[in-house]
């Protein structure tokens, strides 16, 4: 989702949930590292926006991916979202 708006980032621990129980919970949470420090606040606002309205998602007609209602194009396949039509 962040890459779709031009924010370069790396994610860690995406697949580490299986270790839960042996490791401290905070050690296996997914982490997002933003490459450019000046994009951190933008990335944070996007994530907060996403978490604030999780029920207002739009399903992409092309690939079926769920997108935040604030998005105009699908973050996955860049298809224009048609949430505000009809
Ligand atoms: Zn899509």
């Amino acid at each position: 989702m962040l890459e779709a708006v031009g924010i370069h980032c790396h994610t860690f621990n995406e697949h580490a949930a299986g270790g839960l129980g042996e490791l401290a919970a905070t050690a296996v949470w997914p982490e997002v590292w933003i490459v450019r420090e000046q994009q951190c606040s933008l990335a944070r606002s996007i994530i907060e926006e996403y978490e604030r309205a999780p029920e207002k998602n739009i399903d992409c007609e092309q690939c079926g991916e769920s997108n935040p209602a604030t998005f105009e194009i699908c973050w996955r396949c860049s298809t224009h979202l048609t949430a505000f039509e009809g």
Side-chain angles (χ1 to χ4, degrees):
M1 187 170 77
L2 296 176
E3 296 279 4
V5 294
I7 298 174
H8 298 290
C9 59
H10 299 289
T11 55
F12 298 94
N13 296 332
E14 279 185 298
H15 308 292
L20 206 64
E22 294 182 13
L23 302 169
T26 51
V28 294
W29 281 354
E31 294 181 8
V32 178
W33 288 29
I34 308 302
V35 174
R36 292 172 181 270
E37 189 173 355
Q38 60 265 40
Q39 292 182 320
C40 276
S41 60
L42 175 60
R44 193 176 296 276
S45 67
I46 291 171
I47 293 170
E48 287 177 354
E49 182 92 7
Y50 176 79
E51 292 179 338
R52 200 184 311 134
E55 76 279 8
K56 292 181 178 179
N57 285 354
I58 306 166
D59 291 335
C60 175
E61 292 182 0
Q62 186 66 31
C63 70
E65 190 62 50
S66 185
N67 290 268
T70 52
F71 277 32
E72 293 184 0
I73 62 171
C74 175
W75 63 268
R76 188 180 189 188
C77 70
S78 297
T79 295
H80 189 78
L81 299 172
T82 56
F84 302 108
E85 291 181 9

